[in-house]
Amino acid sequence: MAIEQTLSIIKPDAVGRNQIGDIYSRFENNGLRIVAAKMMQLSRKQAEQFYAEHKERPFFGELVEFMTSGPVMVQVLEGENAVAKNRELMGATMPKNAEPGTIRRDLAYDPDNPDSADNAVHGSDGVDSAKAEIAQFFAADEICPR
Ligand code: UDP
């Protein structure tokens, strides 16, 4: 199987709830290795650039507000089929639709706000987008593959 790298972001909601360790454990317990990491406060420009593919969507403004509402933890995950494995661990986009056992369901679903799209984590959706997203946040010498 292919060893891949993928970009993961722990979003401001999960950082605010002190869930970095829980999420890192899920990665590590499922064969994903953290090979680069940084905590940062995204600027509006960085968030807009990162989610540029969604700029015509009605939720774009809200998404940029959310992603800049507090610090995020950005990491490169490495492992067999890392892109798909991370997406599997994350679960469906909307926490209410995510399966129990996934990060988004277990850590981001709020029964008092069931339709919220604040969903704890980002993960690249393909090998090519992973390469581009990793390059947005990390220089080559900041990544420490196994
Ligand atoms: N999003 C949102 N409202 C929606 C759909 C998505 O605010 O109706 C946000 C949500 O934070 C999601 C991000 O936009 O993670 C990117 O959406 P995408 O469809 O790429 O989902 P993902 O790949 O993150 O599951």
Side-chain angles (χ1 to χ4, degrees):
M1 263 195 261
I3 300 291
E4 296 170 348
Q5 291 182 344
T6 190
L7 186 84
S8 159
I9 301 179
I10 302 179
K11 297 185 180 185
D13 59 330
V15 172
R17 289 190 297 264
N18 224 9
Q19 292 172 328
I20 295 171
D22 186 328
I23 294 169
Y24 271 24
S25 293
R26 290 168 188 248
F27 295 152
E28 294 185 333
N29 291 336
N30 287 280
L32 295 175
R33 179 174 290 273
I34 295 150
V35 295
K38 62 175 78 163
M39 182 174 270
M40 56 195 295
Q41 169 68 51
L42 294 183
S43 66
R44 171 167 287 273
K45 199 172 157 197
Q46 282 173 313
E48 285 173 351
Q49 185 192 340
F50 186 72
Y51 278 122
E53 68 177 296
H54 293 309
K55 67 173 180 294
E56 307 303 334
R57 307 282 287 276
F59 57 80
F60 185 68
E62 244 175 73
L63 176 57
V64 170
E65 282 300 314
F66 168 52
M67 291 301 291
T68 57
S69 66
V72 296
M73 191 76 196
V74 187
Q75 45 281 324
V76 178
L77 306 178
E78 183 178 86
E80 282 185 1
N81 291 326
V83 171
K85 170 61 74 178
N86 183 41
R87 298 282 302 185
E88 189 186 310
L89 295 175
M90 287 162 52
T93 301
M94 301 299 280
K96 69 174 177 190
N97 297 331
E99 293 293 329
T102 63
I103 293 168
R104 284 169 164 173
R105 182 65 184 208
D106 293 356
L107 303 183
Y109 179 68
D110 177 1
D112 294 329
N113 192 9
D115 296 319
S116 173
D118 294 1
N119 56 6
V121 277
H122 166 82
S124 310
D125 64 3
V127 173
D128 291 340
S129 57
K131 285 197 172 78
E133 290 177 1
I134 290 168
Q136 188 180 335
F137 288 106
F138 295 96
D141 66 0
E142 292 177 313
I143 303 172
C144 307
R146 191 170 178 197

